[in-house]
Amino acid sequence: MPLEPPPLRNDCFALPAGVDWTPVDDALALLRDRMTTVVGVETVPLMQAAGRVLAHDLVAKRSNPPHPNTAVDGYGFAGAAIGDGPQVLPLVDGRAAAGAPFSGMVPEGHAIRVLTGADLPEGVDTVVLDEDVRVGDGHVAFRGPLKRGANTRKAGEDVRQGDVALSAGRVLTPADLALAAAVGHGAIAVRKRLRVAVLSTGDEIVEPGAQAAEGQIFDANRPMLLSLCAQFGFEVVDKGRAADDRSAVRSALDAAAARADVILTSGGASAGDEDHISALLRETGAIQEWRIALKPGRPLALGIWEGVPVFGLPGNPVAALVCTLIFARPAMGALSGAGWHIPQGFTVPAAFEKRKKPGRREYLRARIRDGRAEVFKSEGSGRISGLSWAEGLVELPDGAINVQAGDPVRYIPFSSFLI
Ligand code: AMP
Ligand code: MG
């Protein structure tokens, strides 16, 4: 049995005592400190490794290129023998092609026909391009000088055998697969996929498309969070909906913990009467209500259920998405073995005006048009149409700010969150 990493400690979500509203950066630093890889390792065929997390540094088994070869079609010879001005060299019989090397030796002062990708025959270190020669009567003619090594590739000039070609924790891209293949790997040790369970809570929540009675709304968070986690490259486990009932939520969490490495819930995360997620996590003694100085987002309930970390997201879809992108996404990245990822933001001029009070960081639904960041017309955190309208978030700092049109603001496209 391969060794599995240990689970997180029960107190891993503890916050320092006496802190009321935790600034976003402090909350992120705490998470970054405490989230460690929780998934084991498996070996998969190279062809199936795209999007997976590399488990160990990938060491080149072979150099790329493995042997000096020619970068062009042309004629090869020993460069040392070539001076300035016209050159005429006798051709040896035969040729070197990719996959069909020339086995003999090319004497100094002689040349040989070579085709792109062919290993350089013994005695050849320089190639002249087809376009630069005349051939006839068993000879090749061209004009010197030619730099020694011209039009050739050196062995290992890209990657040398024994070098680390890719570092552990990397999420493998198509180009990474090309590199891994080139340096001799046909199978790759990757992290097992992080399994993420998604659960919605609330008496008012019904299945999308089902009959909705008065007072009921459709479950908008679950399809969003499930597809988001799938886009992150995780394996998703749909745990459906649970009513606002302590035992229903308890059994849903039990079932989720049995099948997943991390649980995302939405709704019921505050301290109200019907906020069963926080109440239950409190019972286990491992809950922390993270009151983060962030808008949109009410308290996040973070805890450990049967050894599995739970991110209790707010019920409002806008807050649920923002809290997932800002907190749950980097934390899940660390749990998955990919390490902590900081989304790349860009400073762009604002196409809006906004006066903001100090005390909490704000994320606005935004998109770029004509090089400027526009924000959605309403900040209401139930406005799902604004989420769908947006292509990213504008991040306004913790302190007070009075944004005028044209002022620089920080824009983080959704693609920077790896979706
Ligand atoms: P809660 O956090 O449970 O107090 O919910 C806050 C708001 O989000 C309420 O208006 C809920 O009806 C709404 N809400 C909670 N869960 C969902 C969901 N899965 N889909 C859509 N809205 C939700
Ligand atoms: Mg609720």
Side-chain angles (χ1 to χ4, degrees):
M1 267 291 279
L3 212 52
E4 299 283 319
L8 299 180
R9 290 160 48 116
N10 253 6
D11 62 355
C12 73
F13 289 123
L15 281 168
V19 175
D20 194 10
W21 287 94
T22 308
V24 171
D25 286 339
D26 295 7
L28 288 174
L30 280 172
L31 280 179
R32 181 175 192 161
D33 221 36
R34 295 170 188 177
M35 295 295 103
T36 51
T37 306
V38 295
V39 286
V41 176
E42 63 184 345
T43 299
V44 298
L46 174 75
M47 300 291 180
Q48 282 153 37
R52 302 298 299 272
V53 176
L54 189 61
H56 314 296
D57 286 352
L58 191 83
V59 173
K61 292 184 181 175
R62 199 183 194 213
S63 293
N64 183 51
H67 194 268
N69 66 39
T70 170
V72 299
D73 289 349
Y75 294 83
F77 43 82
I82 303 303
D84 278 0
Q87 313 285 324
V88 179
L89 304 183
L91 284 170
V92 300
D93 274 345
R95 61 168 209 178
F102 179 76
S103 51
M105 138 98 190
V106 178
E108 193 164 306
H110 287 62
I112 183 173
R113 175 71 173 145
V114 295
L115 298 176
T116 306
D119 286 355
L120 297 184
E122 222 189 312
V124 172
D125 62 7
T126 305
V127 174
V128 60
L129 270 172
D130 265 356
E131 289 85 326
D132 297 337
V133 303
R134 289 244 174 90
V135 181
D137 201 16
H139 286 72
V140 59
F142 56 95
R143 197 166 284 281
L146 217 74
K147 215 168 130 197
R148 195 164 170 191
N151 299 311
T152 67
R153 308 172 179 132
K154 293 184 193 56
E157 70 175 24
D158 183 24
V159 183
R160 279 214 301 272
Q161 185 179 353
D163 282 356
V164 172
L166 294 163
S167 302
R170 193 170 166 90
V171 179
L172 294 166
T173 65
D176 293 343
L177 300 193
L179 179 55
V183 298
H185 293 269
I188 312 254
V190 295
R191 289 286 168 187
K192 288 183 180 159
R193 272 189 208 280
L194 189 76
R195 297 165 305 164
V196 184
V198 176
L199 171 70
S200 292
T201 71
D203 284 341
E204 75 281 29
I205 309 298
V206 296
E207 196 63 12
Q211 200 65 34
E214 212 173 312
Q216 293 188 314
I217 59 169
F218 298 114
D219 186 353
N221 288 340
R222 215 168 92 244
M224 173 173 73
L225 296 173
L226 284 168
S227 58
L228 200 54
C229 290
Q231 284 191 13
F232 292 149
F234 305 142
E235 188 178 311
V236 291
V237 181
D238 183 358
K239 293 316 296 176
R241 294 165 289 110
D244 284 322
D245 166 278
R246 190 106 10 139
S247 72
V249 173
R250 179 183 287 115
S251 28
L253 287 179
D254 282 345
R259 287 193 48 202
D261 305 303
V262 52
I263 304 171
L264 296 187
T265 68
S266 68
S270 316
D273 296 348
E274 297 297 342
D275 289 321
H276 299 284
I277 294 287
S278 38
L280 277 171
L281 292 173
R282 202 176 300 122
E283 268 179 30
T284 72
I287 193 218
Q288 286 289 329
E289 272 157 68
W290 284 44
R291 308 215 298 157
I292 301 168
L294 162 83
K295 182 182 172 187
R298 289 187 314 182
L300 267 186
L302 302 185
I304 299 287
W305 187 268
E306 300 290 339
V308 175
V310 182
F311 287 80
L313 302 165
N316 271 311
V318 178
L321 182 70
V322 169
C323 288
T324 301
L325 296 180
I326 303 299
F327 296 102
R329 161 66 217 169
M332 291 190 292
L335 296 170
S336 78
W340 191 263
H341 175 259
I342 298 171
Q344 176 67 57
F346 302 90
T347 302
V348 295
F352 62 94
E353 291 180 356
K354 180 175 164 69
R355 186 185 289 275
K356 170 189 171 300
K357 293 203 281 267
R360 57 184 181 167
R361 187 169 299 182
E362 267 189 60
Y363 291 93
L364 307 175
R365 281 153 281 177
R367 63 185 194 183
I368 302 285
R369 288 294 179 273
D370 299 326
R372 294 169 157 237
E374 316 184 321
V375 297
F376 191 58
K377 58 180 191 265
S378 156
E379 289 178 23
S381 75
R383 300 273 191 117
I384 302 175
S385 65
L387 275 184
S388 166
W389 172 93
E391 294 165 6
L393 299 172
V394 157
E395 181 184 73
L396 298 179
D398 299 359
I401 188 171
N402 186 3
V403 179
Q404 300 292 315
D407 286 356
V409 290
R410 183 173 157 82
Y411 174 75
I412 312 173
F414 286 146
S415 58
S416 285
F417 296 101
L418 310 181
I419 50 175

